[in-house]
Amino acid sequence: DAMVIQNPRYQVTQFGKPVTLSCSQTLNHNVMYWYQQKSSQAPKLLFHYYDKDFNNEADTPDNFQSRRPNTSFCFLDIRSPGLGDAAMYLCATSRGDNEQFFGPGTRLTVL
Amino acid sequence: LAKTTQPISMDSYEGQEVNITCSHNNIATNDYITWYQQFPSQGPRFIIQGYKTKVTNEVASLFIPADRKSSTLSLPRVSLSDTAVYYCLVGDYKLSFGAGTTVTVRA
């Protein structure tokens, strides 16, 4: 089945130690998104790629970066994780419309 | 992005119809209205989308009045497994999630 895959599902890192989260899709969608969702809060859009064009949200900290080497893969890099970055990170894809397909998420713990 | 307002929570019982109304007073001409469902520790799941009037699929119905300043998601005959957070979103391909409505279905 076509889907959005996130690896790992659970990630533990240390304060200040860089971490990379991975997302892949078999839907061949041209838009890929990264969201951060903290406990009991709504998902918050960090950035998205429309094809190869990177679009950063104005309030996304510089600590968060992203790479999209090809259509299928997108990575979220957190350069120096702080305790406040502990959250669920959700990857989603779309064809450029409102119907986004979400992965299961990666839960990040920062020690 | 248009701001949306919806109730924080709603309680219901199995077999009842649940209607969640969302207001979006500053919706733009090109904006679509989309609803998502989210269970704990899972990513949101698309439920339904509409532009105007009524849309129905196998899961829900979406009612949109002519002025498009609000919309109502209708979940027919809910079951315990419909307990979730429901988000109303307005926009194009870039969506901004509001607080959502926590729907609790009781036996």
Side-chain angles (χ1 to χ4, degrees):
Chain A
D1 288 338
M3 55 200 305
V4 181
I5 302 162
Q6 291 190 244
N7 286 305
R9 293 293 310 277
Y10 300 90
Q11 176 73 58
V12 179
T13 190
Q14 292 181 333
F15 182 95
K17 184 175 181 181
V19 66
T20 294
L21 309 183
S22 169
C23 177
S24 64
Q25 55 135 339
T26 60
L27 298 161
N28 203 32
H29 286 170
N30 55 331
V31 190
M32 294 188 77
Y33 311 77
W34 280 104
Y35 291 84
Q36 178 192 63
Q37 186 173 26
K38 296 186 177 181
S39 182
S40 301
Q41 295 183 20
K44 178 179 178 300
L45 181 64
L46 296 174
F47 27 60
H48 72 277
Y49 274 94
Y50 202 119
D51 294 318
K52 295 182 179 180
D53 294 332
F54 177 71
N55 298 271
N56 200 26
E57 293 301 298
D59 57 354
T60 298
D62 292 340
N63 198 26
F64 292 86
Q65 304 286 323
S66 185
R67 297 170 283 134
R68 189 179 185 187
N70 54 52
T71 301
S72 301
F73 285 87
C74 196
F75 301 97
L76 170 62
D77 300 309
I78 308 176
R79 293 191 297 187
S80 182
L83 298 179
D85 297 327
M88 175 77 85
Y89 289 88
L90 295 162
C91 173
T93 72
S94 81
R95 292 176 291 261
D97 56 15
N98 287 23
E99 186 173 359
Q100 294 186 19
F101 293 77
F102 283 80
T106 294
R107 184 166 297 281
L108 178 68
T109 300
V110 182
L111 302 177
Chain B
L1 295 171
K3 178 177 165 54
T4 60
T5 303
Q6 50 184 121
I8 299 281
S9 64
M10 297 183 73
D11 288 345
S12 184
Y13 291 92
E14 282 189 294
Q16 290 189 335
E17 179 181 80
V18 171
N19 296 305
I20 310 170
T21 296
C22 177
S23 64
H24 27 79
N25 291 319
N26 59 340
I27 187 169
T29 303
N30 295 332
D31 286 344
Y32 279 74
I33 299 155
T34 314
W35 285 79
Y36 282 79
Q37 174 193 56
Q38 187 177 27
F39 298 112
S41 299
Q42 294 186 24
R45 182 176 73 102
F46 174 90
I47 300 175
I48 197 166
Q49 173 183 290
Y51 185 79
K52 60 181 179 181
T53 65
K54 177 183 174 183
V55 180
T56 298
N57 62 22
E58 65 278 5
V59 177
S61 294
L62 179 59
F63 299 91
I64 306 168
D67 67 6
R68 302 194 337 116
K69 293 184 183 300
S70 68
S71 60
T72 299
L73 175 73
S74 180
L75 304 171
R77 298 179 298 281
V78 294
S79 63
L80 297 176
S81 62
D82 293 317
T83 294
V85 179
Y86 292 82
Y87 294 100
C88 163
L89 297 100
V90 172
D92 47 22
Y93 72 95
K94 199 173 88 164
L95 301 172
S96 178
F97 284 80
T101 298
T102 299
V103 172
T104 303
V105 180
R106 306 180 193 281

